[in-house]
Amino acid sequence: MIRAKKKENDLLIEFVFWRLSKEVSMEITKEELAKEQQHLAKTLELIRKYISELGQELYDKEEKIKEFKELIWDTRHDMDPAEMRTMIGASDLEVSIAEARRKYFQKLFRIQENPYFASITFQAEGEDPQKIYIGITHVEEDLHYYVHDWRAPICSLFYDYEVGKASYQSPDGIVRGELTNKRQFKIERGKLKRVFDNSINIDDEVLQDVLSQESSDKMKNIVNTIQQEQNAVIRNTEDKALIVQGIAGSGKTSVALHRIAFLLYKINNLTSNNIIIFSPNHIFSEYISNVLPELGEENTLQCTFNSFLEANLTEFRHVEEFTAFIERYYKGKETNPAWVAYKQSDEIIDDLDHYIHDLNQQAYFIDGIVFDKIYYSKDELNQLLKRYQHFLLFERIPAIAYKLCDYHYEGKKGKAKQIISLLYKAFNIKKDFKQIYINFYHSEHFRNHYPTSLTDKEIKETVSKREIKYEDACVFIYLKGLLEGFEYRGLIKEVVIDEAQDYNKLQYHIIKNIFPRSNFTILGDVNQTINPYYKYQSLNELKEIFTEDCRYLELCKTYRSSQEIIEYTNKILGLNHIQAIRKKNNHPVVFRTEENLKEQLLTDIMALKKNNKSVAIITKNDVEASMIYELLKEDLENISLLNTNSEKFNRDMVIIPSYTAKGLEFDSVIIYTEPSHYYSQSARYLYYVACTRCQHELIIYNQKEVF
């Protein structure tokens, strides 16, 4: 019986080996295959065991926590404060332990059919060879690791080195040795499907296989294909600010999200609540929402800069969206573009700083005040004002009030509010941010850089309405911060800014002031600038703001578009340094003129859908997007129109304006503009953004081949 079973197993291994040998990049021996099968089986068995045990443990802990809470509630009147604190502390500890076990349970549940994707064999100097299996999370038993978390220090060898001499940074220092083997696996539903041995960074066949796959509604993790230059960004912990210039399709956003996952693993006491991502729009936020959960981590806080402005500008009901701001330019609706450009410029930062400095110098008390029958003369108040001259203008008033409370009311803060009100009435500068903002445009500092005269009506309209324009909101919140301080967000330890090229330096000064102690990861591409009023020559310019421990890195390989598409998009901006990793697909860029538009669009869409899952029609603006949608909606039931306010979408067939498509990708793209409204030289960056959303097939209506 035993012999029959052994023979059956041997035959199975022979068959599996034959099947795999037809597909592998390098042959592996039957003995090696048997070992891989055994390791996979043992790992899966162990995961199933842990899932079962953890499920029971979590149930028991839930019951224990429930009992703790009931006990605390029932005995709250009988316990002294010390006992109560002890009981609450014990309960909190149980909750903390349960939460950690829950997270590990969820990770194991995710990998129960695909526990790892690669292995390396590394021999450290003076030690025996060690085989390391790499997956999303660790699996170990009795100090033996069946799977290592991809974020573990030793796993960096897989991403950074070819076979040969190698080293990695361990907690105890640099470990040197030799990398003797790199192997990749394709495991589906607990079955070993393919094995790849490779000597280079990431096997080309594996990478091309991943790149050739259809795009999905949500961004996926790239943990099994992280490249060396991407890994350098992900694992960087030495620098307080990391600025990354990455071309379209270089994986900037994926890298940012994997970096977040790495930091959560690496840094003690860092949680997802300590991290905020500034994303370009709500669609983009929805698009990336799956990556961190796939990596076993919870999603972080996310917001757009607009929502951030609205939360901090209580003087206005609504802040104009960034897309509406740029639409004014591209639709030719902006009446004074020079004034808008000034509000976006670097010069306005110095002008505002000098303006507020002068206000501080001009501040004084016109009169004294009387409070509780105590008279404080204006000379006494002005002496205190001078004492606090290093404070921000509107921080000086509360400081004086609290000092007076210390003098006469033994520090009782309740009196301070009343005193503050009296002090402001006697102060020569009223706490009216709108008026102060208006006064700035009458100041010498403004006229020095903007000599063209403006009418009082033009100036007052900037803040007279309940809605404030985007460019004014940025200036207003900076000015307000210089006067009363920026609202400090100490909970946030890591700030990630995507699409960094569309933030001017004024905005970075605002963010830096609000998160003064945070670390920053800033990613963008100067070639994808859609702000018509502001353009960086290089994101390296931001080092003048983030001066402390700041590093600039570049990602110059694109993994999104085919070689044919990259060759065309390079011509748009005159680029020659961008390398396409995706191979040619024999689909040249196709150009169309507007003849029988509806019929031609339907023909193109049907042809594209035969080979691709997702098709996007990208228009120059929202007006064109709406027009195309109305033209096609009766014939294509599943087509959807996306705009700034959209939060979810089905990418199978969408119509979207170019500036809303930032950060997204589709299998195939149709670029449409009205014949009289084609992308001009001034809009070439917007056109570049639209064209680089495509992976496989690109069709362009009403546009010259090159500028």
Side-chain angles (χ1 to χ4, degrees):
M1 183 72 177
I2 295 173
R3 288 181 180 177
K5 188 69 176 175
K6 185 178 183 301
K7 187 175 181 181
E8 183 182 330
N9 289 337
D10 289 343
L11 288 171
L12 179 62
I13 290 173
E14 287 276 359
F15 176 73
V16 173
F17 178 78
W18 177 81
R19 288 290 302 274
L20 290 173
S21 65
K22 299 294 183 181
E23 301 176 326
V24 295
S25 303
M26 286 186 181
E27 290 188 359
I28 63 172
T29 66
K30 297 176 185 177
E31 290 76 16
E32 286 178 316
L33 177 61
K35 288 179 181 178
E36 294 295 1
Q37 295 280 13
Q38 290 167 7
H39 184 270
L40 177 60
K42 177 61 179 176
T43 304
L44 294 173
E45 181 186 351
L46 200 59
I47 290 172
R48 287 192 291 268
K49 172 190 168 188
Y50 286 162
I51 288 174
S52 177
E53 291 175 351
L54 279 170
Q56 184 61 49
E57 182 184 339
L58 288 170
Y59 176 80
D60 293 341
K61 283 193 177 297
E62 266 187 33
E63 292 298 309
K64 189 174 181 180
I65 292 167
K66 184 180 176 183
E67 289 173 6
F68 252 126
K69 290 179 177 179
E70 289 176 351
L71 179 63
I72 292 170
W73 178 258
D74 293 339
T75 59
R76 66 190 185 282
H77 300 301
D78 302 323
M79 284 190 289
D80 61 39
E83 287 177 318
M84 179 63 75
R85 285 194 297 271
T86 301
M87 290 291 289
I88 292 174
S91 178
D92 289 344
L93 179 61
E94 287 294 329
V95 170
S96 178
I97 295 171
E99 179 63 17
R101 303 299 280 167
R102 180 190 65 80
K103 287 183 177 179
Y104 187 52
F105 174 83
Q106 290 176 335
K107 290 179 181 180
L108 291 177
F109 198 82
R110 287 191 183 95
I111 68 166
Q112 62 180 315
E113 292 187 334
N114 189 6
Y116 48 84
F117 55 84
S119 71
I120 56 173
T121 303
F122 179 70
Q123 185 171 11
E125 292 177 352
E127 297 184 12
D128 295 329
Q130 184 182 8
K131 189 160 187 178
I132 307 296
Y133 288 85
I134 305 170
I136 296 296
T137 193
H138 71 278
V139 181
E140 65 92 15
E141 183 182 46
D142 299 330
L143 300 179
H144 174 70
Y145 277 84
Y146 286 82
V147 184
H148 283 70
D149 193 301
W150 68 276
R151 297 166 292 186
I154 195 170
C155 295
S156 65
L157 295 169
F158 173 71
Y159 301 108
D160 289 340
Y161 287 96
E162 301 176 5
V163 168
K165 298 291 182 184
S167 64
Y168 71 94
Q169 183 70 50
S170 79
D172 298 325
I174 296 176
V175 179
R176 292 182 173 85
E178 186 171 1
L179 188 63
T180 59
N181 179 262
K182 293 175 68 175
R183 180 169 291 173
Q184 291 177 261
F185 305 94
K186 185 176 182 180
I187 301 171
E188 293 180 354
R189 298 183 179 182
K191 303 294 183 182
L192 184 62
K193 296 293 185 181
R194 303 180 76 179
V195 182
F196 297 85
D197 276 2
N198 53 280
S199 61
I200 58 175
N201 188 33
I202 300 291
D203 188 88
D204 182 64
E205 187 174 351
V206 176
L207 183 57
Q208 292 297 329
D209 181 59
V210 172
L211 295 179
S212 65
Q213 294 174 9
E214 294 178 331
S215 61
S216 58
D217 289 344
K218 300 286 184 72
M219 180 180 284
K220 298 179 179 179
N221 76 73
I222 58 167
V223 68
N224 61 330
T225 58
I226 294 170
Q227 303 293 290
Q228 186 177 12
E229 67 273 16
Q230 296 172 328
N231 198 45
V233 177
I234 291 169
R235 294 178 183 261
N236 179 290
T237 56
E238 294 82 30
D239 302 293
K240 189 172 179 62
L242 194 60
I243 302 167
V244 181
Q245 158 64 35
I247 61 169
S250 60
K252 294 185 296 296
T253 304
S254 289
V255 166
L257 294 168
H258 286 70
R259 172 168 171 77
I260 290 171
F262 177 78
L263 294 174
L264 288 168
Y265 172 88
K266 178 77 172 178
I267 302 173
N268 291 330
N269 300 320
L270 183 70
T271 72
S272 56
N273 292 326
N274 303 133
I275 303 172
I276 188 170
I277 301 175
F278 283 91
S279 53
N281 51 58
H282 298 298
I283 292 175
F284 183 81
S285 297
E286 171 67 16
Y287 176 53
I288 67 173
S289 62
N290 268 13
V291 176
L292 284 171
E294 282 184 1
L295 295 171
E297 303 293 346
E298 295 179 353
N299 275 317
T300 67
L301 304 172
Q302 288 192 46
C303 74
T304 64
F305 194 76
N306 273 85
S307 59
F308 177 76
L309 288 171
E310 286 195 328
N312 289 276
L313 286 178
T314 54
E315 294 84 358
F316 305 94
R317 181 172 290 181
H318 180 64
V319 177
E320 180 188 35
E321 294 283 346
F322 175 68
T323 51
F325 158 69
I326 63 174
E327 277 179 352
R328 279 191 273 129
Y329 175 88
Y330 289 116
K331 290 180 180 179
K333 293 183 177 181
E334 182 52 65
T335 56
N336 197 339
W339 191 17
V340 177
Y342 170 72
K343 295 174 191 177
Q344 291 279 298
S345 69
D346 297 346
E347 288 78 15
I348 198 172
I349 301 171
D350 287 336
D351 290 347
L352 288 168
D353 289 343
H354 285 109
Y355 171 65
I356 299 303
H357 177 268
D358 287 353
L359 278 184
N360 272 283
Q361 298 300 310
Q362 298 161 10
Y364 65 94
F365 285 99
I366 302 169
D367 296 307
I369 65 170
V370 178
F371 182 73
D372 275 1
K373 299 180 180 180
I374 302 174
Y375 176 67
Y376 305 95
S377 70
K378 68 177 182 180
D379 290 338
E380 183 181 0
L381 294 177
N382 282 321
Q383 285 179 359
L384 286 170
L385 188 69
K386 188 176 182 180
R387 181 186 296 183
Y388 294 108
Q389 61 184 344
H390 58 288
F391 282 36
L392 299 178
L393 184 62
F394 292 136
E395 285 184 334
R396 295 160 79 178
I397 301 296
I400 293 170
Y402 293 133
K403 179 57 68 175
L404 295 177
C405 282
D406 289 340
Y407 284 160
H408 302 286
Y409 303 104
E410 298 180 345
K412 293 180 179 178
K413 305 297 185 189
K415 299 285 187 180
K417 286 186 179 180
Q418 301 173 59
I419 298 175
I420 288 171
S421 179
L422 292 172
L423 289 173
Y424 272 123
K425 289 179 181 178
F427 202 46
N428 73 320
I429 299 173
K430 305 305 176 186
K431 195 176 181 180
D432 183 343
F433 295 113
K434 288 186 176 182
Q435 188 57 54
I436 294 172
Y437 184 74
I438 289 170
N439 293 343
F440 167 70
Y441 293 110
H442 293 289
S443 70
E444 182 181 351
H445 306 288
F446 172 69
R447 292 196 300 271
N448 285 341
H449 278 111
Y450 193 81
T452 307
S453 61
L454 297 169
T455 66
D456 287 341
K457 183 181 178 183
E458 285 178 303
I459 295 172
K460 286 182 180 179
E461 281 181 348
T462 59
V463 292
S464 63
K465 300 176 182 178
R466 289 192 168 185
E467 177 181 89
I468 185 171
K469 290 182 177 179
Y470 179 82
E471 68 272 21
D472 286 305
C474 296
V475 179
F476 192 97
I477 198 169
Y478 184 68
L479 180 144
K480 186 178 176 182
L482 294 179
L483 289 167
E484 69 171 5
F486 295 89
E487 188 176 345
Y488 173 58
R489 305 293 176 87
L491 177 67
I492 302 300
K493 299 177 182 179
E494 300 283 342
V495 178
V496 178
I497 302 173
D498 206 354
E499 303 296 342
Q501 72 281 352
D502 289 324
Y503 294 75
N504 58 43
K505 288 180 184 175
L506 176 64
Q507 291 170 281
Y508 282 111
H509 277 285
I510 294 166
I511 294 172
K512 182 83 169 10
N513 276 290
I514 290 174
F515 307 102
R517 299 176 185 174
S518 300
N519 298 322
F520 290 86
T521 303
I522 300 167
L523 311 99
D525 178 16
V526 294
N527 297 317
Q528 296 184 67
T529 301
I530 64 172
N531 185 343
Y533 301 102
Y534 200 89
K535 178 72 168 68
Y536 293 95
Q537 293 302 309
S538 168
L539 291 180
N540 202 21
E541 296 174 35
L542 294 176
K543 289 176 80 172
E544 68 186 52
I545 300 173
F546 302 92
T547 55
E548 184 183 356
D549 298 325
C550 183
R551 186 184 299 269
Y552 174 78
L553 297 171
E554 292 187 357
L555 301 175
C556 297
K557 297 176 181 177
T558 179
Y559 305 91
R560 177 184 297 147
S561 303
S562 68
Q563 192 171 329
E564 292 92 338
I565 294 170
I566 294 301
E567 287 172 357
Y568 174 70
T569 55
N570 279 347
K571 294 177 184 177
I572 296 172
L573 300 180
L575 306 175
N576 55 22
H577 64 284
I578 296 177
Q579 179 184 353
I581 301 301
R582 190 190 294 273
K583 296 177 180 177
K584 283 182 174 286
N585 60 12
N586 297 317
H587 291 294
V589 178
V590 176
F591 294 88
R592 303 243 190 261
T593 56
E594 188 173 315
E595 296 178 6
N596 301 317
L597 178 60
K598 181 177 179 178
E599 182 181 337
Q600 186 61 64
L601 279 172
L602 289 171
T603 300
D604 283 338
I605 290 170
M606 293 300 105
L608 292 173
K609 288 295 289 183
K610 288 181 181 178
N611 301 319
N612 305 286
K613 180 182 178 182
S614 63
V615 177
I617 301 176
I618 302 179
T619 61
K620 191 173 182 181
N621 57 49
D622 62 335
V623 175
E624 290 177 347
S626 297
M627 185 271 289
I628 296 296
Y629 177 71
E630 292 298 323
L631 185 69
L632 301 178
K633 68 178 184 180
E634 298 296 328
D635 296 273
L636 301 170
E637 293 182 358
N638 60 336
I639 198 166
S640 57
L641 175 66
L642 300 184
N643 53 42
T644 305
N645 298 319
S646 302
E647 295 188 3
K648 295 185 179 182
F649 72 109
N650 181 346
R651 69 176 43 238
D652 282 1
M653 199 178 304
V654 301
I655 303 171
I656 185 170
S658 54
Y659 36 76
T660 307
K662 287 173 65 67
L664 306 179
E665 61 181 32
F666 304 90
D667 292 326
S668 55
V669 168
I670 298 173
I671 305 289
Y672 175 84
T673 59
E674 294 181 10
S676 61
H677 199 216
Y678 65 89
Y679 289 91
S680 62
Q681 180 73 16
S682 63
R684 65 190 185 281
Y685 294 104
L686 195 62
Y687 182 53
Y688 179 81
V689 169
C691 290
T692 53
R693 300 309 93 198
C694 182
Q695 291 185 307
H696 306 293
E697 296 183 69
L698 178 62
I699 300 174
I700 301 169
Y701 281 67
N702 305 324
Q703 182 65 38
K704 302 173 183 176
E705 287 198 26
V706 292
F707 291 98

